[in-house]
């Protein structure tokens, strides 16, 4: 059921982006993010390097869609390799405060993510919502930098995981 929901959302977003590309005023983007994650399981916290590769399409200056891959955790815990990754798709919103559409901005994003958690040879998947907020500066129509905070809450066999990340991002628009 969850895989069907993800596939349906992905197909709907792909269809919307094709319609948007035919219209004037849209802009594609690719964003690379690097920062720090804090993972909390059963009250135990650990930090790791987090990164994401995101891409999508802005229908106009304020609303768009995105797809992404994120690595939230990759450490050896005891004798086990432990990882937490996510693939997802969602909507993004952005409000620029510069007169020409550049300058300072705030933004947000939300959607569905398929999380994969691995401990040793055991792995599980979980589909849940994700959300994030950010602020930054667009230097031109084609490039901007931002600081982003994302909220990830996968659940594996009734084990709640909090995996929040704070990242610096560079976004290229075309």
């Amino acid at each position: 059921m969850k895989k069907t929901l993800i596939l349906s959302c992905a197909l709907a977003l792909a269809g919307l982006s094709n319609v948007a590309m035919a219209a004037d005023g849209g802009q594609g983007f690719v964003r690379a993010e690097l920062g720090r994650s804090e993972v909390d399981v059963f009250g135990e916290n650990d930090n790791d390097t987090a990164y994401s590769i995101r891409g999508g399409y802005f229908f106009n200056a304020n609303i768009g869609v995105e797809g992404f891959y994120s690595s939230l955790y990759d450490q050896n815990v005891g004798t086990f390799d432990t990882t937490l990754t996510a693939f997802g798709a969602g909507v993004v919103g952005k409000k620029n405060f510069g007169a020409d559409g550049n300058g300072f901005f705030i933004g947000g994003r939300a959607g569905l993510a398929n999380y994969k958690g691995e401990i040793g040879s055991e792995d599980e998947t979980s589909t849940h919502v994700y959300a994030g907020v950010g602020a930054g500066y667009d230097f031109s129509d084609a490039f901007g930098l931002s600081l982003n905070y994302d909220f990830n809450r996968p659940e594996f066999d009734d084990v709640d995981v909090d995996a929040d990340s704070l990242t610096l991002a560079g976004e290229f628009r075309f």
Side-chain angles (χ1 to χ4, degrees):
M1 175 69 176
K2 290 180 182 178
K3 290 181 181 178
T4 303
L5 179 62
I6 289 174
L7 179 59
S8 298
C9 289
L11 290 173
L13 289 172
L16 287 173
S17 65
N18 286 339
V19 170
M21 285 184 185
D24 290 336
Q27 197 170 33
F29 70 89
V30 175
R31 180 183 307 125
E33 301 180 353
L34 181 64
R36 197 84 174 143
S37 65
E38 181 180 340
V39 178
D40 183 1
V41 181
F42 296 123
E44 297 291 322
N45 290 328
D46 199 9
N47 296 314
D48 195 17
T49 300
Y51 64 88
S52 289
I53 303 297
R54 296 175 184 265
Y57 193 81
F58 278 103
F59 300 117
N60 58 42
N62 302 109
I63 302 293
V65 294
E66 73 172 358
F68 70 91
Y69 168 80
S70 293
S71 175
L72 299 167
Y73 191 78
D74 190 357
Q75 293 284 326
N76 287 328
V77 177
T79 59
F80 297 106
D81 289 333
T82 304
T83 62
L84 178 62
T85 58
F87 284 97
V91 296
V92 293
K94 184 176 181 179
K95 172 61 177 152
N96 281 83
F97 295 104
D100 58 356
N102 293 323
F104 287 102
F105 68 86
I106 58 172
R109 55 187 174 215
L112 284 177
N114 185 288
Y115 298 94
K116 183 175 182 181
E118 295 183 41
I119 299 176
S121 62
E122 300 290 322
D123 64 22
E124 289 189 44
T125 60
S126 169
T127 302
H128 280 273
V129 297
Y130 72 92
V133 295
Y137 192 88
D138 281 336
F139 296 95
S140 71
D141 291 340
F143 179 72
L145 291 175
S146 63
L147 189 62
N148 303 287
Y149 191 82
D150 288 309
F151 307 90
N152 298 282
R153 301 290 186 268
E155 184 177 308
F156 302 107
D157 280 341
D158 298 325
V159 175
D160 291 330
V161 177
D162 291 347
D164 299 334
S165 60
L166 179 65
T167 57
L168 179 63
E171 181 176 282
F172 299 93
R173 293 175 293 275
F174 47 92

